[in-house]
Amino acid sequence: MALFKRRTVGKPGEWFYCLKHGTVEEGPECRAADRFGPYATREEAAHAMDTARERNLEWETDPKWHDMGKGGEGSKDSKNRKGAPGDGDGA
């Protein structure tokens, strides 16, 4: 066990959205895994979940990330392809 807890210090004016508490905080108060940011303004941090939702939707509908080229879904190549170990296909 550490004797001293390392404090995460942010720059003045940095805003974060804490996922654990659902609150906006100035400077990082919660651990990095529990927050989004930094944001330039309190308003941006307050809309962090909306921003994440919009970005996720953009990614999910971006054809560059869902390449259905020659070996697309339903093709012979995709049906015969083996999954990664541990993905439940028995391979």
Side-chain angles (χ1 to χ4, degrees):
M1 184 172 159
L3 294 175
F4 300 99
K5 209 174 197 181
R6 190 176 357 169
R7 174 83 171 127
T8 305
V9 179
K11 297 176 185 171
E14 286 184 330
W15 294 90
F16 296 85
Y17 181 81
C18 176
L19 299 166
K20 185 176 181 181
H21 301 110
T23 58
V24 173
E25 45 189 54
E26 185 173 15
E29 294 177 18
C30 293
R31 65 189 198 114
D34 292 333
R35 67 176 189 255
F36 285 158
Y39 295 95
T41 66
R42 179 180 190 87
E43 184 73 17
E44 285 180 42
H47 290 89
M49 294 302 293
D50 295 329
T51 303
R53 199 173 297 110
E54 290 168 8
R55 289 178 180 168
N56 285 345
L57 184 60
E58 287 175 18
W59 177 82
E60 290 169 357
T61 58
D62 186 343
K64 291 185 289 186
W65 294 104
H66 299 286
D67 184 16
M68 298 302 287
K70 295 177 184 174
E73 188 174 322
S75 73
K76 184 174 126 185
D77 292 338
S78 68
K79 288 178 184 173
N80 292 332
R81 189 173 41 122
K82 292 280 188 191
D87 69 356
D89 72 349

